[in-house]
Amino acid sequence: MSVNTDLAHIFDEIAALLTLTGANPFRAQANERAARILRDMTDDVATLSIADDAKKQLTALDGIGGGTADKIIEFINTGKIAEHEELLEVVPGGLLDVLQIPGLGPKTVKVMWDKADVTSVDTLKEALAAGTIEKLPRMGAKTVQNIRDALEFQAKSSGRARLGVAMPIAQRIVEHLTNVKGVQQCQFAGSLRRGRETIGDIDILASTTKPKDIAEAFTTMAGVDKILAAGETKCSVRIDEGIQVDLRVVDDKAFGAALLYFTGSKEHNVRLRERAIKQKLRLNEYGLFPNDDDDTPPQSRGVKPVACKTEADIYAKLDLQYIPPELREDRGELDADIPRLVEVDDIKAELHAHTTASDGKFTIEELITEAQSRGYHTIAITDHSKSSAQANGLDEKRLRAHIQAIRTAAKQFKTMNVLCGSEVDIRVDGTLDYDDKMLGELDIVVASPHASLAQEPKKATTRLVAAVSHPMVHVLGHPTGRLINSREGLSPDMNAIIAAAVEHDTALEINANFMRLDLRDTHVRAAVEAGCKIAINTDAHAAAHIDFLRYGVLTGRRGWLTPELCINTWSKAKLATWLKLKRQ
Ligand code: DGT
Ligand code: CA
Ligand code: CA
Ligand code: ZN
């Protein structure tokens, strides 16, 4: 897989470099297409291209021409592509970093390079400071401000991987290590286990009877880019995705104590240790021990721990309820009565999903079938509204035809409650993209902001409060419009929105896509405390997106969300009744 990813990366760079040299756009597009095909491909291109008929096999793939096939074979044989190397001699490599800045495309970067001598992020910063950028053609004050914001945001967010990127990697590694001879227990810990929206590094714990074997298996596994440390109890590697992974080998009998310690957060651990001391106990990564005021660590004196095998044992001995990892942030979890939190298996309805009518990949039937196969009782089909032209949003005429098509398709699915809905744009002034008559013809309305996401906070508050207060709106979709690590989104007064949502009985969405996770955990917590209804939706455009549900659920749990407040967990009848209340 890794060769496919490496090659895709190079084809993307070739495309960008070609645009920067002012080459024919078709050449760049061909390279972009090659990158996309390589990323989507499940076969390892390295095995294809060593076959005798390599070129024939490669060109048989849709979208790969002779030139691209030659380049793939060249890369497999030599480890590089001459065209790429030649382009890098003409175009400063630093411009590729400039292209990574959100909102900056090759055309703009080319102008900056030609007219303002920008060759890297640093020279861009200098040019911004000197005021040369805003004098460039077609470069308004707003664009310049956007570049400044993006640079600042990038500096703040650098170095943390998104939850949905880190999670599959960690699961793959845990599975790999679990199969190594001698391994007794293996689990990921750290911020990933707590379900944070971004992850600094991946922490993995294992116990084993053969420490050398697991260290060997870990440092030689596929995807390791660099070994940072390789000891018997701790190994660290950097993997191809640029993420650091730490493996700690711990004593099987005290696995729970180690898991508790390395799950953190650090602040939660501090609270637990304080509590232990008050109870004449002492907590560390080896266990919970009697506190005998001897400075030498108890485990090295053979002192028998009070608890160490499981986390549950330790919480119990500290007279605490078991605290789920998602709550371990020192946000009052030691002093609260912890409710039963929402779980993935509780979810029985998807209330925000797209079909080919707008920008989704599903037909109506495919989407309903997918929801049915997940054991859901309800699926809402919510394609985009007319203002989202880039997403092929529907005008009234197309929407009415779509409603008819959905009603017809739904007849084949007797047990499913299929809802005709819309993800209607919240315009910049808070008005909606369809009139009340049109909205009234829909079973469910998810109102979301898509454009003007750099709006000042006061205006954003007014805009979103108007949307949640609208009598036809059931759910406020991805309320801030942020994209993790790439776009800040709106910064409204969330308490005002929550208050309006409670007053008008509108649900706020946790968009489960790991790029969004919007509402974020802290907003969910505030909403839950106010008794606000919450929807967890995947906003699925394709089948794989439905699996993002878990990230939404993790975010909900971090916000102390119970099944009662999460409308996607309700029974078919209860949900249907609530939806109809807004149609009376
Ligand atoms: P990250 O990686 O920045 O997203 O956040 P974490 O929470 O995964 O932090 P990390 O990887 O530095 O350490 C993993 C856990 O190990 C952390 O949550 C708690 C524990 N830990 C690490 N260093 C300390 C420490 O100095 N004191 C305490 N009490 N715990 C620590
Ligand atoms: Ca970590
Ligand atoms: Ca770590
Ligand atoms: Zn959507």
Side-chain angles (χ1 to χ4, degrees):
M1 279 311 287
S2 167
V3 174
N4 291 26
T5 317
D6 288 351
L7 253 171
H9 182 71
I10 292 182
F11 277 113
D12 271 337
E13 283 199 3
I14 293 177
L17 292 164
L18 280 170
T19 314
L20 291 173
T21 60
N24 185 329
F26 292 118
R27 287 181 60 201
Q29 281 161 21
N31 284 280
E32 276 168 11
R33 197 179 319 119
R36 206 166 51 235
I37 291 164
L38 285 163
R39 280 205 182 88
D40 291 346
M41 215 159 113
T42 42
D43 291 323
D44 190 344
V45 76
T47 56
L48 286 186
S49 38
I50 47 170
D52 287 339
D53 59 346
K55 189 159 177 185
K56 208 170 130 209
Q57 282 201 43
L58 287 169
T59 49
L61 296 168
D62 217 8
I64 301 232
T68 307
D70 285 338
K71 282 186 256 180
I72 293 174
I73 296 167
E74 180 187 356
F75 181 79
I76 303 295
N77 291 331
T78 67
K80 49 191 176 199
I81 296 176
E83 184 185 8
H84 183 232
E85 307 277 308
E86 284 154 20
L87 281 164
L88 279 173
E89 276 174 25
V90 189
V91 183
L95 286 180
L96 291 170
D97 301 328
V98 178
L99 275 171
Q100 294 300 313
I101 297 168
L104 279 186
K107 283 195 194 113
T108 318
V109 175
K110 180 166 166 47
V111 175
M112 290 179 171
W113 177 32
D114 290 346
K115 305 259 155 80
D117 294 326
V118 170
T119 55
S120 63
V121 173
D122 282 340
T123 47
L124 170 61
K125 284 180 185 159
E126 284 163 23
L128 277 168
T132 23
I133 296 295
E134 55 212 63
K135 294 202 190 83
L136 295 175
R138 290 188 305 137
M139 191 72 72
K142 205 166 157 201
T143 315
V144 174
Q145 191 53 45
N146 285 345
I147 299 171
R148 286 210 169 92
D149 290 348
L151 280 170
E152 198 181 311
F153 190 76
Q154 212 177 35
K156 271 195 296 187
S157 60
S158 65
R160 296 189 65 85
R162 296 178 185 102
L163 177 61
V165 173
M167 182 69 85
I169 294 170
Q171 284 190 318
R172 199 180 64 218
I173 297 175
V174 166
E175 193 182 307
H176 175 66
L177 296 180
T178 303
N179 290 324
V180 173
K181 215 170 147 203
V183 171
Q184 296 153 303
Q185 297 187 67
C186 185
Q187 205 176 323
F188 59 78
S191 52
L192 184 62
R193 183 161 178 247
R194 304 198 309 280
R196 277 193 63 180
E197 63 190 37
T198 61
I199 307 300
D201 68 1
I202 298 175
D203 302 283
I204 294 180
L205 288 192
S207 59
T208 176
T209 54
K210 298 183 187 310
K212 282 212 179 76
D213 289 19
I214 195 170
E216 170 78 12
F218 179 70
T219 50
T220 60
M221 67 190 172
V224 169
D225 174 38
K226 194 170 180 205
I227 300 172
L228 307 169
E232 282 224 347
T233 57
K234 188 182 167 183
C235 298
S236 270
V237 299
R238 192 178 63 211
I239 54 171
D240 289 341
E241 291 83 352
I243 303 172
Q244 182 176 326
V245 187
D246 294 344
L247 168 69
R248 288 187 185 78
V249 178
V250 302
D251 180 8
D252 191 57
K253 289 192 291 300
F255 195 85
L259 185 60
L260 183 63
Y261 180 88
F262 288 110
T263 296
S265 66
K266 203 168 145 184
E267 294 75 15
H268 176 81
N269 291 351
V270 168
R271 290 278 177 229
L272 289 181
R273 282 202 300 271
E274 287 170 0
R275 186 175 177 100
I277 287 168
K278 283 195 195 124
Q279 301 181 5
K280 302 236 170 336
L281 295 166
R282 186 160 153 179
L283 178 66
N284 64 25
E285 60 185 288
Y286 303 97
L288 182 65
F289 297 91
N291 194 354
D292 51 16
D293 293 320
D294 186 331
D295 281 346
T296 320
Q299 68 278 4
S300 46
R301 292 182 278 125
V303 177
K304 197 172 161 345
V306 179
C308 64
K309 193 160 181 279
T310 68
E311 290 184 332
D313 293 344
I314 297 170
Y315 281 114
K317 287 284 191 258
L318 288 170
D319 277 335
L320 289 167
Q321 245 179 297
Y322 176 78
I323 301 177
E326 298 88 343
L327 304 192
R328 300 180 193 169
E329 297 289 352
D330 189 22
R331 292 176 182 160
E333 65 273 15
L334 262 60
D335 305 314
D337 197 7
I338 295 164
R340 144 92 153 85
L341 304 175
V342 65
E343 291 169 13
V344 168
D345 285 345
D346 294 329
I347 305 290
K348 297 289 176 219
E350 170 62 77
L351 300 175
H352 179 173
H354 298 268
T355 70
T356 50
S358 60
D359 59 349
K361 295 265 193 296
F362 295 108
T363 63
I364 296 168
E365 286 82 1
E366 283 165 354
L367 178 54
I368 305 172
T369 305
E370 189 67 38
Q372 191 172 37
S373 75
R374 311 255 168 173
Y376 294 171
H377 55 57
T378 299
I379 172 75
I381 299 176
T382 58
D383 280 296
H384 287 284
S385 63
K386 57 191 175 184
S387 287
S388 282
Q390 75 295 339
N392 191 24
L394 283 70
D395 61 18
E396 287 80 355
K397 187 158 171 258
R398 287 180 59 215
L399 179 55
R400 288 199 168 96
H402 192 40
I403 293 174
Q404 278 312 313
I406 295 170
R407 300 248 188 259
T408 305
K411 290 197 180 110
Q412 307 160 46
F413 299 88
K414 294 267 182 297
T415 60
M416 291 292 289
N417 189 15
V418 179
L419 303 172
C420 296
S422 169
E423 180 181 20
V424 57
D425 257 55
I426 305 171
R427 296 194 200 120
V428 62
D429 61 356
T431 58
L432 301 181
D433 212 13
Y434 296 125
D435 64 18
D436 288 3
K437 174 153 191 312
M438 182 74 256
L439 295 173
E441 291 172 38
L442 296 162
D443 305 323
I444 181 168
V445 173
V446 177
S448 314
H450 287 108
S452 306
L453 297 174
Q455 204 171 26
E456 62 168 87
K458 265 198 179 138
K459 284 188 180 155
T461 307
T462 311
R463 176 186 187 185
L464 296 178
V465 165
V468 284
S469 307
H470 191 291
M472 296 280 176
V473 171
H474 295 95
V475 178
L476 177 64
H478 50 71
T480 73
R482 69 140 170 195
L483 293 178
I484 294 172
N485 282 0
S486 87
R487 181 171 74 202
E488 193 117 38
L490 300 169
S491 314
D493 173 355
M494 214 25 100
N495 291 329
I497 293 165
I498 291 167
V502 171
E503 185 187 341
H504 297 276
D505 200 22
T506 304
L508 300 182
E509 177 181 85
I510 299 172
N511 192 293
N513 189 309
F514 65 81
M515 296 288 291
R516 295 190 182 272
L517 297 178
D518 176 18
L519 301 177
R520 65 186 68 191
D521 55 3
T522 48
H523 293 160
V524 178
R525 179 89 185 265
V528 166
E529 277 175 2
C532 182
K533 293 185 177 65
I534 300 285
I536 304 180
N537 293 326
T538 69
D539 194 357
H541 288 69
H545 298 167
I546 298 189
D547 295 322
F548 295 161
L549 177 65
R550 54 199 295 209
Y551 307 123
V553 170
L554 279 169
T555 303
R557 290 170 66 84
R558 288 178 61 81
W560 297 57
L561 178 61
T562 59
E564 293 72 38
L565 278 181
C566 177
I567 62 174
N568 310 67
T569 73
W570 291 357
S571 73
K572 195 187 205 171
K574 182 175 176 183
L575 180 60
T577 305
W578 178 73
L579 290 167
K580 284 194 186 112
L581 279 178
K582 296 229 177 192
R583 290 291 171 274
Q584 283 164 4

